[in-house]
Amino acid sequence: MQALGRDFKGGVASSKSGQFACGARILAMKIVVRAAFAAASLLPSAAFALTDPITTGPVSVTLQNVATVNTGTYGTPQDIAAAPNDPSNLFVSTRNGDILDLKNGVLQSTPYLNMAAAGVNIYTGGEGGLLGLAFSPSFSGGSGHFYTVEAEPFSTTGPAADFSSPEMFPTTSVNPNNQLVLREWTAASGTVDASSRVMMRIDHPESNHQGGSLRFGPDGNLYMGLGDGGGGNDFNGSASSTTDGHNNAIGNGQDTTVPFGKILRINPNPAAGSQFLTSANGQYSIPKNNPFVTGGATGSLKEIYAYGLRNPYRIAFDSATGKLLAADVGQGNREEVDVIANGGNYGWPFREGTRDNSGDAQRTTPTGFASTDPIGEYTHADGIAIIGGMVYHGTQNPALDGDYLFGDLGSSKGRLFYMSANGGLIQEFNYSAGSAPVPGSLYGVSTDNAGEAYYFFSNGSILSTVPEPGGGALLLGGILPILARRRNFERQTL
């Protein structure tokens, strides 16, 4: 995997009283920090979004290795997803096109799905592979639908895309690098049908910035994050190139007639009901309250939910609030966490986080241009590419409840961070004695149905955390009331 943002081509155990005292001190320290940043919310958002430098915070975690994917066979882990109401299984999508079943903490020897055996050819160049995985909210008892997005090879004689760039095939003779394909799969009693339904096919200009994160929202719709098309600074070669698949004047991130640099929202059911429109290809429905169902520039895509993103490599919903967060990989200076709203514009390529990026993007910022600032941001003194992310609501580490857990890819070993899901200070974890080390570059952070976090890395390792002192029996008696007061405080002030 390339660096997602660097574009190298251009870019003994204590007594219970001691346990509680320790946990309470950690929580008290966090509350003080949160209060300071809540007060800062009276200032412009940029005043508290940037953390420079990121320092170690008060929360300690103990990492343990859960499983290791054989990268020689399957490639690196790319995503982890849980099926609804299933406490036993987690599913791991891998670069080469397999989905592995992590059952009760043990990787099963037979893949849950092998895409090659199902007749799907995976493009594994650049940042390709099987990128995203999501189970339908109605999936139950091993039966139902699940969804994948993968990069597949492009061919002029292959299936036609639903979306492309006007600078590329079929409008011109310039070929895209690959295709991004969204598929629906069907399982019955734990067995996957080898056939699949193609819902959407996108011609992708470059080998990087595919994005490909898939998650269902609390509204039952499917959200997909897509990168800006690749290259660097939303072009390849120069902003004036007519063959790179990028909008010359405003970049793909701002061009609402293309899907690149966007988060799309659709419903997999082509006949979802009166509050939806059927897609042009008849394979899915579009919520009528998507921002460009009416209005916007001529030709704006009705599937768009939010735009102005560079590479929203991981998106996640907060299971408690329904809030959608995205870790958007930066260019050469800033990495950012965004709260994604319907119709939101997050500034790329004119803004990189809160930084003016118009000069690097070789474009003039339009008069009156406005965008939404990130809720968290750090510089490249602390990393090279942000990797999200999930909002923690587990029981093993109660001091983290309501925090967004994420990290940075790192050049050889990643870094693991946390921050309030309401925004503010980014902090790095302390690691307890006996914790497994961070084993390589961070590739993602996901969650099981119990709200616990799983971190996966370039060497195939999947790590989770063990309960910290004071995290178990004391939870109901002492910590939850403090957390409840903290959350109420944040809601009122942020």
Side-chain angles (χ1 to χ4, degrees):
M1 176 183 283
Q2 295 179 10
L4 296 176
R6 297 306 295 267
D7 300 312
F8 293 118
K9 70 177 183 176
V12 170
S14 304
S15 68
K16 286 190 176 182
S17 61
Q19 292 174 3
F20 180 75
C22 177
R25 282 195 298 271
I26 291 173
L27 287 166
M29 292 172 69
K30 291 186 73 179
I31 292 168
V32 169
V33 169
R34 301 288 170 82
F37 276 86
S41 66
L42 300 174
L43 302 173
S45 59
F48 70 88
L50 179 62
T51 302
D52 182 23
I54 296 175
T55 58
T56 302
V59 177
S60 293
V61 295
T62 301
L63 299 173
Q64 62 176 356
N65 190 78
V66 176
T68 302
V69 172
N70 183 336
T71 58
T73 299
Y74 301 113
T76 54
Q78 299 288 97
D79 197 7
I80 293 180
N85 305 309
D86 184 351
S88 301
N89 299 282
L90 282 174
F91 298 92
V92 184
S93 69
T94 63
R95 184 176 177 86
N96 292 351
D98 294 273
I99 299 176
L100 308 181
D101 183 3
L102 182 60
K103 187 177 182 64
N104 296 319
V106 178
L107 280 173
Q108 304 302 291
S109 57
T110 301
Y112 180 69
L113 172 65
N114 179 294
M115 283 196 162
V120 178
N121 189 9
I122 302 295
Y123 166 81
T124 58
E127 294 172 6
L130 172 51
L131 302 168
L133 171 65
F135 285 81
S136 168
S138 63
F139 196 94
S140 179
S143 299
H145 298 305
F146 65 93
Y147 301 85
T148 60
V149 60
E150 66 277 353
E152 299 183 13
F154 169 81
S155 170
T156 56
T157 60
D162 300 294
F163 305 107
S164 188
S165 162
E167 292 187 348
M168 311 200 96
F169 181 90
T171 306
T172 75
S173 61
V174 179
N175 290 339
N177 181 272
N178 59 88
Q179 288 188 332
L180 296 177
V181 184
L182 175 64
R183 293 176 180 266
E184 179 187 76
W185 303 82
T186 302
S189 301
T191 299
V192 180
D193 190 321
S195 62
S196 61
R197 177 170 71 95
V198 174
M199 294 169 55
M200 184 186 298
R201 191 178 292 270
I202 301 169
D203 284 341
H204 193 268
E206 309 286 343
S207 66
N208 59 343
H209 299 191
Q210 277 89 348
S213 186
L214 280 182
R215 290 294 181 263
F216 276 92
D219 57 1
N221 294 313
L222 183 61
Y223 294 71
M224 178 166 62
L226 296 175
D228 65 1
N233 276 306
D234 211 339
F235 62 78
N236 187 26
S238 73
S240 60
S241 171
T242 60
T243 60
D244 66 347
H246 293 260
N247 184 297
N248 291 3
I250 59 174
N252 284 344
Q254 296 297 315
D255 184 353
T256 58
T257 70
V258 296
F260 311 115
K262 313 297 191 301
I263 290 176
L264 309 184
R265 180 175 66 163
I266 64 171
N267 190 295
N269 183 353
S274 61
Q275 299 305 309
F276 297 84
L277 303 171
T278 302
S279 64
N281 67 4
Q283 295 301 311
Y284 55 89
S285 293
I286 303 168
K288 287 183 177 179
N289 63 339
N290 276 5
F292 300 114
V293 167
T294 60
T298 302
S300 291
L301 302 185
K302 296 176 174 63
E303 289 84 353
I304 293 172
Y305 181 75
Y307 63 109
L309 297 153
R310 182 176 179 273
N311 191 14
Y313 182 61
R314 297 281 183 249
I315 62 174
F317 284 91
D318 182 343
S319 62
T321 67
K323 183 188 303 181
L324 176 60
L325 293 95
D328 192 21
V329 181
Q331 179 65 44
N333 296 276
R334 302 288 178 90
E335 305 297 320
E336 66 183 276
V337 178
D338 297 299
V339 172
I340 303 299
N342 191 357
N345 177 4
Y346 296 88
W348 181 256
F350 300 113
R351 306 284 286 178
E352 182 190 15
T354 59
R355 173 184 173 272
D356 183 353
N357 191 64
S358 56
D360 290 353
Q362 300 180 14
R363 299 172 175 100
T364 300
T365 303
T367 301
F369 180 82
S371 61
T372 300
D373 284 345
I375 64 164
E377 180 183 18
Y378 62 95
T379 76
H380 278 198
D382 279 304
I384 59 173
I386 191 171
I387 303 292
M390 50 82 76
V391 181
Y392 185 80
H393 291 297
T395 60
Q396 293 187 355
N397 303 98
L400 294 171
D401 186 74
D403 282 349
Y404 181 63
L405 310 187
F406 63 109
D408 192 272
L409 177 78
S411 57
S412 59
K413 289 189 177 182
R415 298 178 68 185
L416 306 186
F417 303 143
Y418 64 100
M419 65 178 290
S420 168
N422 288 320
L425 182 69
I426 299 170
Q427 297 176 293
E428 187 167 12
F429 285 123
N430 272 302
Y431 297 104
S432 304
S435 175
V438 173
S441 294
L442 179 66
Y443 274 18
V445 187
S446 194
T447 181
D448 61 15
N449 284 320
E452 302 298 344
Y454 291 78
Y455 303 86
F456 43 103
F457 299 87
S458 56
N459 70 342
S461 295
I462 301 172
L463 273 60
S464 190
T465 58
V466 298
E468 291 301 303
L474 298 175
L475 184 61
L476 293 176
I479 294 177
L480 279 180
I482 298 173
L483 289 171
R485 290 195 295 271
R486 187 192 79 183
R487 289 195 297 270
N488 288 335
F489 177 74
E490 288 173 338
R491 292 189 185 107
Q492 293 165 11
T493 56
L494 283 177

